C-alpha cells in the first residue's frame, strides 16, 4: 500500500518533503492554492490527520499559509526561503558525505577538484 | 454532539479461558483506530464487548459514559461488522438486508448503500445465501459504511475481499470518513496494507492491551541496528531489544523505543547501520516476544 | 468537528410495534392457510369418493398447525434474535417485540383454525355429512367457535413460545439446546394432558391434579396459560444475556 512512502521517516515528513520539492521546482507557484488535506489523504490513501500534520509543519516553517475558508496557499517567499536553506545544508548534506566516501575508497581531494573544474569549463563553453 | 468509547478494567472469560484481561482504553470521535493483534488475541471479543454483543465478566464498556450492554441509547450508536456478515436469512435477497438495516439503523444512508453495491458490482437482487465469500464481505462492508453509525467497527470483515475490492473499501472508508467524520475501529492482523489509514493503533496480545499510540509515532519506534557484534551490543545496552541475531562477526538488533535523530546520528558515528523497521515487523516482534515472557512465567 | 444526527422524522431501531415481522409472517401464514384449506378439502372429497365421511377432516388436519407454530418460534429465537441485536437492539427490546409479534401471530393462527371449520361446514351441509370432532378437545362441536379459538390459541401459543425457547437455546449452544428441548417436550405433554381426555399415558396424574378425568375447558385454559407463562419466563432467562457469537453464516 505504501507505494509512495518508505519506513525511514514519518509519513507526514515525507509528504512535507514532497511539497517542498514541488515549491522548489516551481510546480507550486507563490500565492497559488495547494490541494486540500482531504485530497492529499484520498490520493495517498492515508489518514487525513497525517496529511494535516504535514501541512501544519509547512505552515510553521512559513512555506505555506492558511486563508480562512479557502485553504492552504504557497507563501510568496517560500521558494527563496527553501533555496536558501538548501544552500546552507548543501555542504553538510552533499559535500561532506562525498568527501567521506572519496576518502574511504582512496580518491584524493585534488582529483575531485580537477573533475569539478572540467565540468565548470564545459558549462562555460556551452 | 461527539461520541466517546471507553473501557475500564474490562474483562471477558469464556469458561476458564480469559479472552480479555483488564483492558482500559479511551477512543475519541473523528479518528480511525487500528486494532492490531494476532489471531486469537481477543480483537473480536473486545469489539463484541464495545458493541454490547457480550456482557463483560468484569469492568465496563462505555459509549458516551453509559454502559453499552442492554442499553439501546448506546447500541444504536454502534455498528460492528464481522466477517460472518449479519445481514438477513440466507434465503433472503441482498435487498432485504438493506431494507432491514434501513429500518434498524438510525443513521443509515440508503443512497450511499446502493452506490457502494454498484462499486462492488453486487446486485441487490441476489440471494444472500448464493453470495461468494468476497461478495459477502462486500455486502458486510457496505452495511458498515452506509450505517454511518457514530461508532463504526470493522472486524477483519474486509479481508474476504479480493485485492481490487479491498482498495475500493480503503478509498470509500477514507472518503466517507472525511465527509462524515466518526469513530472508526478497524481490526486486522495484516497491517502493512492498512496502516496508513490509522491515526492511532492499539495492540492486543493474549487479551491484554499492550499498546495504544499514534500510528506515526509507533511507526518510528522501532529500528534495526546492524554492525560489528561488540559495537552493536554496546550501543543497545539499556534499550529494549526485541530480537538479536548474529552472522559471524556481525550482529543485528531490533530495538524498540524513542529512536530520535540524535540517537540515529550516534549510531552512525559509532559505525553502525540503522535501518527502518516496517510496522508489520515491529508488530510481529512485539507480539511474539511477549509470548516468550509469558511462557517463562 | 464531528456531529452525528439520526435520520429526521422517526427514529429507526427504536422499539415499536413489530409491523414488519407481523406483516411478513401473517401474510405468509394466510397463504399457507389458504393452500392448506384447499388441500384438506381435496383430501375430504377424495375420501368421500371411496367411503362415507363421518368426521370433520379439518378437525384432524389442524393437529399439524402446531408444527408450523414451533417452526416460526425456532426461527424467531435462532435467527431473528441475533440479527436484531447485531443491528443495535437490546435483548429486552427484542423480547418485547417478539412477545407482541407472538401475540398477534398466534391469534391469527387461532382465527385461521376457527375459520377453517366455518368453511368446512359449508361443504358438509351441502353434502349432508356429519362434521363430528374428536373427543378430547376443549370444544365438543364445530359450532363452539369460541372454544375452538381458545384451544387453537393455547396450543399454537405454547408451541410457538416453546419453539422460541428451543431456538434461542440452540443459538446459545448444544447443551442449552438439549435442556430446552427436553423442557419444551415435557411442557407440551403436560399441556396436552389438560386438553385431551383420551390421551392415556398420564391420565392418572391428570385425574389427581384435576380431580376428575373429565376435561374442564376453563381449568385447561388456566393451566395452559400458566405453562405458556413459564415458557416465556424460560425464554427471557435464556436471552437476557445471550452472547452474540461470531459465526460465519
Amino acid at each position: 500500500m505504501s507505494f509512495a512512502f518508505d519506513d525511514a521517516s514519518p509519513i507526514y515528513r515525507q509528504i512535507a518533503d514532497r511539497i517542498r520539492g514541488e515549491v522548489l521546482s516551481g510546480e507550486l507557484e507563490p500565492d497559488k492554492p495547494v490541494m486540500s488535506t482531504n485530497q492529499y489523504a484520498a490520493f495517498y490513501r492515508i489518514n487525513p490527520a497525517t496529511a494535516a500534520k504535514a501541512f501544519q509543519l509547512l505552515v510553521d516553517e512559513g512555506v505555506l499559509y492558511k486563508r480562512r475558508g479557502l485553504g492552504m496557499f504557497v507563501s510568496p517567499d517560500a521558494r527563496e526561503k527553501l533555496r536558501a536553506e538548501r544552500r546552507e545544508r548543501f555542504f553538510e548534506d552533499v559535500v561532506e558525505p562525498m568527501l567521506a566516501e572519496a576518502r574511504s575508497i582512496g580518491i584524493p581531494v585534488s582529483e575531485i577538484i580537477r573533475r569539478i573544474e572540467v565540468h565548470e569549463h564545459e558549462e562555460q563553453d556551452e | 454532539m461527539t461520541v466517546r468509547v471507553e473501557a475500564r478494567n474490562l474483562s471477558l472469560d469464556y469458561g476458564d479461558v480469559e479472552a480479555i484481561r483488564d483492558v482500559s482504553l479511551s477512543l475519541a470521535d473523528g479518528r480511525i483506530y487500528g486494532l492490531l493483534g494476532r489471531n486469537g488475541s481477543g480483537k473480536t471479543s473486545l469489539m463484541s464487548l464495545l458493541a454490547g454483543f457480550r456482557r463483560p465478566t468484569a469492568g465496563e464498556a462505555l459509549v458516551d459514559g453509559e454502559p453499552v450492554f442492554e442499553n439501546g441509547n448506546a447500541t444504536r450508536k454502534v455498528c460492528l461488522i464481522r466477517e460472518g456478515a449479519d445481514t438477513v436469512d440466507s434465503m433472503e435477497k441482498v435487498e432485504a438486508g438493506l431494507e432491514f438495516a434501513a429500518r434498524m439503523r438510525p443513521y443509515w444512508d440508503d443512497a450511499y448503500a446502493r452506490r457502494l453495491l454498484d462499486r462492488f458490482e453486487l446486485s441487490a437482487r441476489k440471494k444472500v445465501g448464493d453470495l461468494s465469500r468476497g461478495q459477502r464481505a462486500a455486502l458486510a462492508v457496505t452495511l458498515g459504511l452506509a450505517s454511518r453509525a457514530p461508532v463504526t467497527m470493522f472486524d477483519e470483515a474486509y479481508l474476504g475481499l479480493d485485492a481490487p475490492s479491498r482498495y475500493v473499501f480503503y478509498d470509500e472508508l477514507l472518503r466517507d470518513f472525511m465527509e462524515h467524520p466518526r469513530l472508526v475501529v478497524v481490526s486486522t492482523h495484516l497491517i502493512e496494507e492498512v496502516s496508513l489509514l490509522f491515526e492511532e493503533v492499539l495492540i492486543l496480545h493474549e487479551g491484554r492491551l499492550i499498546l495504544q499510540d499514534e500510528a506515526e509515532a509507533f511507526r518510528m519506534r522501532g529500528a534495526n541496528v546492524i554492525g560489528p557484534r561488540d559495537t552493536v551490543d554496546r550501543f543497545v545496552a539499556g534499550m529494549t531489544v526485541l530480537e538479536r541475531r548474529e552472522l559471524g562477526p556481525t550482529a543485528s538488533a531490533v530495538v524498540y523505543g524513542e529512536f530520535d535523530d540524535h540517537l540515529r546520528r550516534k549510531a552512525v558515528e559509532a559505525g553502525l547501520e540503522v535501518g527502518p523497521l516496517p510496522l508489520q515487523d515491529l508488530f510481529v516482534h512485539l507480539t511474539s516476544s511477549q509470548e516468550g515472557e509469558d511462557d517463562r512465567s | 468537528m464531528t456531529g452525528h444526527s439520526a435520520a429526521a422524522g422517526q427514529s429507526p431501531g427504536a422499539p415499536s410495534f413489530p409491523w414488519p415481522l407481523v406483516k411478513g409472517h401473517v401474510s405468509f401464514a394466510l397463504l399457507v392457510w389458504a393452500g392448506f384449506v384447499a388441500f384438506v378439502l381435496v383430501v375430504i372429497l377424495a375420501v368421500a369418493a371411496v367411503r362415507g365421511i363421518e368426521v370433520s377432516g379439518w378437525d384432524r388436519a389442524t393437529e399439524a398447525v402446531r408444527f408450523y407454530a414451533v417452526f416460526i418460534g425456532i426461527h424467531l429465537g435462532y435467527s431473528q434474535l441475533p440479527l436484531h441485536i447485531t443491528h443495535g437492539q437490546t435483548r429486552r427490546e427484542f423480547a418485547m417485540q417478539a412477545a407482541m409479534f407472538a401475540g398477534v401471530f398466534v391469534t391469527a393462527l387461532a382465527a385461521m383454525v376457527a375459520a377453517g371449520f366455518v368453511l368446512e361446514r359449508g361443504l358438509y351441509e351441502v353434502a349432508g355429512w356429519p362434521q363430528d370432532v374428536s373427543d378430547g378437545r376443549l370444544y365438543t362441536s364445530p359450532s363452539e367457535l369460541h372454544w375452538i379459538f381458545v384451544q387453537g390459541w393455547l396450543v399454537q401459543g405454547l408451541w410457538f413460545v416453546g419453539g422460541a425457547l428451543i431456538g434461542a437455546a440452540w443459538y446459545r449452544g448444544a447443551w442449552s439446546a438439549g435442556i430446552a428441548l427436553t423442557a419444551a417436550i415435557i411442557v407440551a405433554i403436560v399441556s396436552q394432558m389438560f386438553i385431551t381426555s383420551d390421551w392415556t399415558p398420564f391420565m392418572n396424574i391428570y385425574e389427581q391434579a384435576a380431580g376428575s378425568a373429565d376435561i374442564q375447558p376453563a381449568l385447561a385454559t388456566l393451566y395452559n396459560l400458566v405453562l405458556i407463562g413459564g415458557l416465556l419466563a424460560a425464554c427471557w432467562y435464556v436471552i437476557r444475556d445471550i452472547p452474540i457469537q461470531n459465526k460465519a453464516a
Side-chain angles (χ1 to χ4, degrees), chain B residues 2 29 52-55 70 72 75-76 82 87 89 103-107 181, chain C residues 2 4-5 7 12-13 75 83 86 88 90-93 241 243-245:
Chain B
T2 60
D29 206 350
F53 286 11
R54 289 177 180 275
R55 183 164 66 184
E70 283 299 88
T75 53
R76 268 183 279 285
R82 309 176 298 167
T87 49
D89 273 15
R103 217 158 56 224
M104 302 292 294
R105 303 240 186 245
Y107 307 89
Chain C
T2 49
H4 305 288
S5 56
H75 168 74
L83 203 54
T86 54
T90 65
R91 292 150 187 82
R92 183 179 298 273
E93 287 162 359
D241 63 348
I244 301 304
Q245 293 141 29

mmCIF file of all heavy atoms in Angstrom, chain B residues 2 29 52-55 70 72 75-76 82 87 89 103-107 181, chain C residues 2 4-5 7 12-13 75 83 86 88 90-93 241 243-245:
data_model
loop_
_atom_site.group_PDB
_atom_site.id
_atom_site.type_symbol
_atom_site.label_atom_id
_atom_site.label_comp_id
_atom_site.label_asym_id
_atom_site.label_seq_id
_atom_site.Cartn_x
_atom_site.Cartn_y
_atom_site.Cartn_z
ATOM 1 N N THR B 2 -20.514 14.808 19.993
ATOM 2 C CA THR B 2 -19.468 13.856 19.630
ATOM 3 C C THR B 2 -19.600 12.594 20.469
ATOM 4 O O THR B 2 -20.247 12.590 21.506
ATOM 5 C CB THR B 2 -18.065 14.448 19.862
ATOM 6 O OG1 THR B 2 -17.946 14.767 21.235
ATOM 7 C CG2 THR B 2 -17.849 15.688 19.024
ATOM 8 N N ASP B 29 -13.863 10.643 19.127
ATOM 9 C CA ASP B 29 -14.588 10.811 17.869
ATOM 10 C C ASP B 29 -13.656 11.350 16.778
ATOM 11 O O ASP B 29 -12.628 11.967 17.059
ATOM 12 C CB ASP B 29 -15.734 11.797 18.092
ATOM 13 C CG ASP B 29 -16.856 11.573 17.110
ATOM 14 O OD1 ASP B 29 -16.664 10.795 16.159
ATOM 15 O OD2 ASP B 29 -17.926 12.158 17.298
ATOM 16 N N GLY B 52 -21.750 -4.268 22.741
ATOM 17 C CA GLY B 52 -22.849 -4.830 23.534
ATOM 18 C C GLY B 52 -23.283 -6.204 23.072
ATOM 19 O O GLY B 52 -24.369 -6.659 23.414
ATOM 20 N N PHE B 53 -22.449 -6.863 22.270
ATOM 21 C CA PHE B 53 -22.787 -8.218 21.826
ATOM 22 C C PHE B 53 -22.603 -9.227 22.961
ATOM 23 O O PHE B 53 -23.187 -10.290 22.959
ATOM 24 C CB PHE B 53 -21.906 -8.643 20.652
ATOM 25 C CG PHE B 53 -22.262 -7.987 19.347
ATOM 26 C CD1 PHE B 53 -23.155 -6.919 19.310
ATOM 27 C CD2 PHE B 53 -21.709 -8.440 18.155
ATOM 28 C CE1 PHE B 53 -23.491 -6.320 18.108
ATOM 29 C CE2 PHE B 53 -22.042 -7.837 16.940
ATOM 30 C CZ PHE B 53 -22.928 -6.780 16.921
ATOM 31 N N ARG B 54 -21.741 -8.881 23.906
ATOM 32 C CA ARG B 54 -21.492 -9.762 25.041
ATOM 33 C C ARG B 54 -21.468 -8.939 26.320
ATOM 34 O O ARG B 54 -21.128 -7.754 26.306
ATOM 35 C CB ARG B 54 -20.147 -10.476 24.885
ATOM 36 C CG ARG B 54 -20.153 -11.524 23.804
ATOM 37 C CD ARG B 54 -18.776 -12.142 23.642
ATOM 38 N NE ARG B 54 -18.797 -13.158 22.604
ATOM 39 C CZ ARG B 54 -19.152 -14.420 22.813
ATOM 40 N NH1 ARG B 54 -19.478 -14.822 24.014
ATOM 41 N NH2 ARG B 54 -19.165 -15.281 21.816
ATOM 42 N N ARG B 55 -21.789 -9.600 27.419
ATOM 43 C CA ARG B 55 -21.750 -8.910 28.703
ATOM 44 C C ARG B 55 -20.370 -9.107 29.308
ATOM 45 O O ARG B 55 -19.862 -10.235 29.355
ATOM 46 C CB ARG B 55 -22.811 -9.488 29.649
ATOM 47 C CG ARG B 55 -22.838 -8.742 30.976
ATOM 48 C CD ARG B 55 -24.086 -9.025 31.758
ATOM 49 N NE ARG B 55 -24.145 -10.421 32.186
ATOM 50 C CZ ARG B 55 -25.184 -10.931 32.824
ATOM 51 N NH1 ARG B 55 -26.239 -10.188 33.069
ATOM 52 N NH2 ARG B 55 -25.181 -12.184 33.187
ATOM 53 N N GLU B 70 -27.090 -3.962 26.889
ATOM 54 C CA GLU B 70 -28.523 -3.801 27.107
ATOM 55 C C GLU B 70 -28.923 -2.337 27.290
ATOM 56 O O GLU B 70 -29.802 -2.015 28.083
ATOM 57 C CB GLU B 70 -28.983 -4.661 28.297
ATOM 58 C CG GLU B 70 -29.124 -6.126 27.963
ATOM 59 C CD GLU B 70 -30.165 -6.355 26.868
ATOM 60 O OE1 GLU B 70 -29.768 -6.305 25.684
ATOM 61 O OE2 GLU B 70 -31.327 -6.576 27.186
ATOM 62 N N GLY B 72 -30.053 0.582 24.793
ATOM 63 C CA GLY B 72 -30.397 0.937 23.420
ATOM 64 C C GLY B 72 -29.807 2.268 22.976
ATOM 65 O O GLY B 72 -29.418 2.427 21.825
ATOM 66 N N THR B 75 -26.255 1.155 22.075
ATOM 67 C CA THR B 75 -26.081 0.180 20.989
ATOM 68 C C THR B 75 -26.527 0.743 19.645
ATOM 69 O O THR B 75 -26.002 0.341 18.608
ATOM 70 C CB THR B 75 -26.837 -1.132 21.263
ATOM 71 O OG1 THR B 75 -28.202 -0.835 21.556
ATOM 72 C CG2 THR B 75 -26.216 -1.878 22.422
ATOM 73 N N ARG B 76 -27.466 1.686 19.654
ATOM 74 C CA ARG B 76 -27.902 2.239 18.368
ATOM 75 C C ARG B 76 -26.851 3.161 17.755
ATOM 76 O O ARG B 76 -26.913 3.496 16.592
ATOM 77 C CB ARG B 76 -29.251 2.953 18.517
ATOM 78 C CG ARG B 76 -30.411 2.009 18.222
ATOM 79 C CD ARG B 76 -31.752 2.696 18.285
ATOM 80 N NE ARG B 76 -32.227 2.831 19.645
ATOM 81 C CZ ARG B 76 -32.731 1.819 20.365
ATOM 82 N NH1 ARG B 76 -32.799 0.614 19.847
ATOM 83 N NH2 ARG B 76 -33.143 2.000 21.600
ATOM 84 N N ARG B 82 -18.853 -7.874 11.207
ATOM 85 C CA ARG B 82 -17.978 -9.030 11.378
ATOM 86 C C ARG B 82 -17.915 -9.822 10.078
ATOM 87 O O ARG B 82 -18.733 -9.639 9.192
ATOM 88 C CB ARG B 82 -18.520 -9.906 12.498
ATOM 89 C CG ARG B 82 -18.782 -9.075 13.738
ATOM 90 C CD ARG B 82 -19.411 -9.871 14.829
ATOM 91 N NE ARG B 82 -20.707 -10.412 14.467
ATOM 92 C CZ ARG B 82 -21.325 -11.335 15.183
ATOM 93 N NH1 ARG B 82 -20.760 -11.826 16.257
ATOM 94 N NH2 ARG B 82 -22.507 -11.767 14.826
ATOM 95 N N THR B 87 -26.588 -10.197 8.122
ATOM 96 C CA THR B 87 -27.456 -9.476 7.199
ATOM 97 C C THR B 87 -28.892 -9.901 7.419
ATOM 98 O O THR B 87 -29.568 -9.401 8.283
ATOM 99 C CB THR B 87 -27.030 -9.721 5.757
ATOM 100 O OG1 THR B 87 -26.853 -11.123 5.556
ATOM 101 C CG2 THR B 87 -25.727 -9.040 5.461
ATOM 102 N N ASP B 89 -31.643 -13.602 6.613
ATOM 103 C CA ASP B 89 -31.592 -15.030 6.293
ATOM 104 C C ASP B 89 -30.875 -15.248 4.971
ATOM 105 O O ASP B 89 -30.984 -14.424 4.065
ATOM 106 C CB ASP B 89 -33.013 -15.552 6.120
ATOM 107 C CG ASP B 89 -33.583 -15.986 7.443
ATOM 108 O OD1 ASP B 89 -33.010 -15.616 8.483
ATOM 109 O OD2 ASP B 89 -34.583 -16.690 7.425
ATOM 110 N N ARG B 103 -34.266 0.010 8.394
ATOM 111 C CA ARG B 103 -35.268 0.060 9.444
ATOM 112 C C ARG B 103 -34.620 0.150 10.824
ATOM 113 O O ARG B 103 -35.141 0.782 11.729
ATOM 114 C CB ARG B 103 -36.103 -1.219 9.350
ATOM 115 C CG ARG B 103 -37.553 -1.012 9.641
ATOM 116 C CD ARG B 103 -38.393 -2.117 9.045
ATOM 117 N NE ARG B 103 -37.998 -3.435 9.484
ATOM 118 C CZ ARG B 103 -37.885 -4.480 8.680
ATOM 119 N NH1 ARG B 103 -38.097 -4.347 7.393
ATOM 120 N NH2 ARG B 103 -37.565 -5.652 9.162
ATOM 121 N N MET B 104 -33.484 -0.517 10.968
ATOM 122 C CA MET B 104 -32.889 -0.665 12.291
ATOM 123 C C MET B 104 -31.853 0.409 12.621
ATOM 124 O O MET B 104 -31.615 0.698 13.777
ATOM 125 C CB MET B 104 -32.217 -2.035 12.416
ATOM 126 C CG MET B 104 -33.135 -3.214 12.195
ATOM 127 S SD MET B 104 -34.365 -3.397 13.497
ATOM 128 C CE MET B 104 -33.331 -3.810 14.889
ATOM 129 N N ARG B 105 -31.190 0.949 11.618
ATOM 130 C CA ARG B 105 -30.050 1.823 11.893
ATOM 131 C C ARG B 105 -30.457 3.287 11.774
ATOM 132 O O ARG B 105 -30.823 3.744 10.684
ATOM 133 C CB ARG B 105 -28.921 1.531 10.922
ATOM 134 C CG ARG B 105 -28.463 0.079 10.953
ATOM 135 C CD ARG B 105 -27.029 0.015 11.329
ATOM 136 N NE ARG B 105 -26.509 -1.340 11.235
ATOM 137 C CZ ARG B 105 -26.080 -2.021 12.295
ATOM 138 N NH1 ARG B 105 -26.117 -1.486 13.498
ATOM 139 N NH2 ARG B 105 -25.602 -3.235 12.161
ATOM 140 N N PRO B 106 -30.327 4.036 12.856
ATOM 141 C CA PRO B 106 -30.824 5.419 12.856
ATOM 142 C C PRO B 106 -30.056 6.347 11.914
ATOM 143 O O PRO B 106 -30.590 7.362 11.509
ATOM 144 C CB PRO B 106 -30.623 5.867 14.301
ATOM 145 C CG PRO B 106 -30.330 4.639 15.089
ATOM 146 C CD PRO B 106 -29.799 3.623 14.144
ATOM 147 N N TYR B 107 -28.825 6.026 11.563
ATOM 148 C CA TYR B 107 -28.017 6.961 10.770
ATOM 149 C C TYR B 107 -27.831 6.471 9.328
ATOM 150 O O TYR B 107 -27.002 6.960 8.590
ATOM 151 C CB TYR B 107 -26.640 7.159 11.419
ATOM 152 C CG TYR B 107 -26.719 7.561 12.873
ATOM 153 C CD1 TYR B 107 -26.768 6.597 13.880
ATOM 154 C CD2 TYR B 107 -26.747 8.906 13.245
ATOM 155 C CE1 TYR B 107 -26.857 6.957 15.219
ATOM 156 C CE2 TYR B 107 -26.832 9.274 14.568
ATOM 157 C CZ TYR B 107 -26.885 8.301 15.553
ATOM 158 O OH TYR B 107 -26.971 8.661 16.870
ATOM 159 N N PRO B 181 -17.171 12.500 9.481
ATOM 160 C CA PRO B 181 -16.212 12.025 10.485
ATOM 161 C C PRO B 181 -16.929 11.292 11.623
ATOM 162 O O PRO B 181 -17.998 11.683 12.047
ATOM 163 C CB PRO B 181 -15.581 13.322 11.011
ATOM 164 C CG PRO B 181 -15.812 14.320 9.949
ATOM 165 C CD PRO B 181 -17.117 13.949 9.330
ATOM 166 N N THR C 2 -17.052 16.805 14.547
ATOM 167 C CA THR C 2 -17.954 15.728 14.181
ATOM 168 C C THR C 2 -19.321 15.989 14.776
ATOM 169 O O THR C 2 -19.440 16.459 15.885
ATOM 170 C CB THR C 2 -17.450 14.401 14.706
ATOM 171 O OG1 THR C 2 -17.114 14.567 16.076
ATOM 172 C CG2 THR C 2 -16.240 13.940 13.950
ATOM 173 N N HIS C 4 -23.182 13.956 14.861
ATOM 174 C CA HIS C 4 -23.932 12.795 14.403
ATOM 175 C C HIS C 4 -25.410 13.078 14.566
ATOM 176 O O HIS C 4 -25.859 13.478 15.617
ATOM 177 C CB HIS C 4 -23.551 11.560 15.206
ATOM 178 C CG HIS C 4 -22.084 11.288 15.188
ATOM 179 N ND1 HIS C 4 -21.439 10.826 14.068
ATOM 180 C CD2 HIS C 4 -21.135 11.444 16.127
ATOM 181 C CE1 HIS C 4 -20.147 10.698 14.340
ATOM 182 N NE2 HIS C 4 -19.943 11.065 15.581
ATOM 183 N N SER C 5 -26.145 12.912 13.510
ATOM 184 C CA SER C 5 -27.581 13.111 13.630
ATOM 185 C C SER C 5 -28.294 11.964 12.946
ATOM 186 O O SER C 5 -27.943 11.549 11.849
ATOM 187 C CB SER C 5 -27.978 14.437 13.005
ATOM 188 O OG SER C 5 -27.547 14.461 11.664
ATOM 189 N N ALA C 7 -31.422 10.055 11.092
ATOM 190 C CA ALA C 7 -32.320 10.458 10.031
ATOM 191 C C ALA C 7 -33.516 11.187 10.642
ATOM 192 O O ALA C 7 -34.014 10.799 11.690
ATOM 193 C CB ALA C 7 -32.792 9.230 9.253
ATOM 194 N N PRO C 12 -35.443 5.137 13.617
ATOM 195 C CA PRO C 12 -35.346 3.724 13.282
ATOM 196 C C PRO C 12 -34.620 2.970 14.395
ATOM 197 O O PRO C 12 -33.760 3.518 15.058
ATOM 198 C CB PRO C 12 -34.522 3.714 11.993
ATOM 199 C CG PRO C 12 -34.550 5.105 11.491
ATOM 200 C CD PRO C 12 -34.731 5.981 12.677
ATOM 201 N N GLY C 13 -34.968 1.728 14.533
ATOM 202 C CA GLY C 13 -34.289 0.899 15.518
ATOM 203 C C GLY C 13 -34.890 1.011 16.896
ATOM 204 O O GLY C 13 -34.764 0.113 17.699
ATOM 205 N N HIS C 75 -37.332 -20.114 14.438
ATOM 206 C CA HIS C 75 -36.744 -19.106 13.547
ATOM 207 C C HIS C 75 -36.555 -17.785 14.291
ATOM 208 O O HIS C 75 -35.523 -17.126 14.184
ATOM 209 C CB HIS C 75 -37.661 -18.931 12.337
ATOM 210 C CG HIS C 75 -37.338 -17.743 11.499
ATOM 211 N ND1 HIS C 75 -36.240 -17.705 10.659
ATOM 212 C CD2 HIS C 75 -37.936 -16.533 11.380
ATOM 213 C CE1 HIS C 75 -36.198 -16.532 10.063
ATOM 214 N NE2 HIS C 75 -37.220 -15.801 10.479
ATOM 215 N N LEU C 83 -29.948 -11.297 14.819
ATOM 216 C CA LEU C 83 -29.995 -10.285 13.761
ATOM 217 C C LEU C 83 -30.402 -8.926 14.337
ATOM 218 O O LEU C 83 -29.810 -7.891 14.008
ATOM 219 C CB LEU C 83 -31.024 -10.745 12.722
ATOM 220 C CG LEU C 83 -30.877 -10.198 11.330
ATOM 221 C CD1 LEU C 83 -29.480 -10.468 10.815
ATOM 222 C CD2 LEU C 83 -31.904 -10.849 10.420
ATOM 223 N N THR C 86 -27.491 -7.542 16.590
ATOM 224 C CA THR C 86 -26.351 -7.006 15.837
ATOM 225 C C THR C 86 -26.726 -5.716 15.113
ATOM 226 O O THR C 86 -25.854 -4.967 14.705
ATOM 227 C CB THR C 86 -25.815 -8.009 14.793
ATOM 228 O OG1 THR C 86 -26.898 -8.410 13.958
ATOM 229 C CG2 THR C 86 -25.203 -9.220 15.445
ATOM 230 N N GLY C 88 -28.340 -3.344 16.587
ATOM 231 C CA GLY C 88 -28.449 -2.256 17.558
ATOM 232 C C GLY C 88 -29.594 -2.335 18.547
ATOM 233 O O GLY C 88 -29.775 -1.424 19.346
ATOM 234 N N THR C 90 -31.589 -3.951 21.875
ATOM 235 C CA THR C 90 -31.216 -4.680 23.080
ATOM 236 C C THR C 90 -32.037 -5.960 23.155
ATOM 237 O O THR C 90 -33.050 -6.106 22.480
ATOM 238 C CB THR C 90 -31.481 -3.854 24.345
ATOM 239 O OG1 THR C 90 -32.887 -3.643 24.464
ATOM 240 C CG2 THR C 90 -30.769 -2.509 24.290
ATOM 241 N N ARG C 91 -31.575 -6.881 23.979
ATOM 242 C CA ARG C 91 -32.286 -8.145 24.156
ATOM 243 C C ARG C 91 -33.684 -7.894 24.709
ATOM 244 O O ARG C 91 -34.655 -8.523 24.303
ATOM 245 C CB ARG C 91 -31.483 -9.057 25.076
ATOM 246 C CG ARG C 91 -30.188 -9.525 24.424
ATOM 247 C CD ARG C 91 -29.100 -9.770 25.457
ATOM 248 N NE ARG C 91 -27.823 -10.066 24.814
ATOM 249 C CZ ARG C 91 -26.997 -9.122 24.347
ATOM 250 N NH1 ARG C 91 -27.333 -7.857 24.441
ATOM 251 N NH2 ARG C 91 -25.859 -9.461 23.766
ATOM 252 N N ARG C 92 -33.762 -6.942 25.645
ATOM 253 C CA ARG C 92 -35.048 -6.627 26.252
ATOM 254 C C ARG C 92 -36.014 -6.075 25.204
ATOM 255 O O ARG C 92 -37.167 -6.500 25.132
ATOM 256 C CB ARG C 92 -34.831 -5.600 27.371
ATOM 257 C CG ARG C 92 -36.072 -5.227 28.150
ATOM 258 C CD ARG C 92 -35.705 -4.215 29.237
ATOM 259 N NE ARG C 92 -34.771 -4.773 30.195
ATOM 260 C CZ ARG C 92 -35.149 -5.460 31.277
ATOM 261 N NH1 ARG C 92 -36.419 -5.653 31.515
ATOM 262 N NH2 ARG C 92 -34.246 -5.945 32.101
ATOM 263 N N GLU C 93 -35.518 -5.158 24.365
ATOM 264 C CA GLU C 93 -36.377 -4.595 23.325
ATOM 265 C C GLU C 93 -36.853 -5.676 22.366
ATOM 266 O O GLU C 93 -38.018 -5.721 21.990
ATOM 267 C CB GLU C 93 -35.616 -3.522 22.530
ATOM 268 C CG GLU C 93 -35.400 -2.230 23.297
ATOM 269 C CD GLU C 93 -34.309 -1.359 22.693
ATOM 270 O OE1 GLU C 93 -33.693 -1.770 21.675
ATOM 271 O OE2 GLU C 93 -34.053 -0.282 23.248
ATOM 272 N N ASP C 241 -29.065 -12.397 28.625
ATOM 273 C CA ASP C 241 -27.650 -12.018 28.461
ATOM 274 C C ASP C 241 -26.993 -12.847 27.359
ATOM 275 O O ASP C 241 -25.801 -13.097 27.386
ATOM 276 C CB ASP C 241 -26.893 -12.205 29.783
ATOM 277 C CG ASP C 241 -26.878 -13.652 30.234
ATOM 278 O OD1 ASP C 241 -27.646 -14.460 29.648
ATOM 279 O OD2 ASP C 241 -26.122 -13.993 31.162
ATOM 280 N N PRO C 243 -24.993 -14.231 24.534
ATOM 281 C CA PRO C 243 -23.866 -13.654 23.800
ATOM 282 C C PRO C 243 -24.054 -13.826 22.290
ATOM 283 O O PRO C 243 -24.532 -14.866 21.842
ATOM 284 C CB PRO C 243 -22.658 -14.459 24.283
ATOM 285 C CG PRO C 243 -23.200 -15.650 24.993
ATOM 286 C CD PRO C 243 -24.691 -15.540 25.108
ATOM 287 N N ILE C 244 -23.719 -12.788 21.543
ATOM 288 C CA ILE C 244 -23.791 -12.871 20.085
ATOM 289 C C ILE C 244 -22.465 -13.422 19.601
ATOM 290 O O ILE C 244 -21.410 -12.828 19.830
ATOM 291 C CB ILE C 244 -24.064 -11.495 19.470
ATOM 292 C CG1 ILE C 244 -25.375 -10.936 20.022
ATOM 293 C CG2 ILE C 244 -24.110 -11.570 17.959
ATOM 294 C CD1 ILE C 244 -26.571 -11.835 19.822
ATOM 295 N N GLN C 245 -22.534 -14.562 18.952
ATOM 296 C CA GLN C 245 -21.297 -15.224 18.527
ATOM 297 C C GLN C 245 -20.891 -14.760 17.142
ATOM 298 O O GLN C 245 -21.679 -14.198 16.415
ATOM 299 C CB GLN C 245 -21.496 -16.742 18.546
ATOM 300 C CG GLN C 245 -21.675 -17.267 19.955
ATOM 301 C CD GLN C 245 -22.710 -18.355 20.033
ATOM 302 O OE1 GLN C 245 -22.911 -19.078 19.061
ATOM 303 N NE2 GLN C 245 -23.392 -18.463 21.158
#
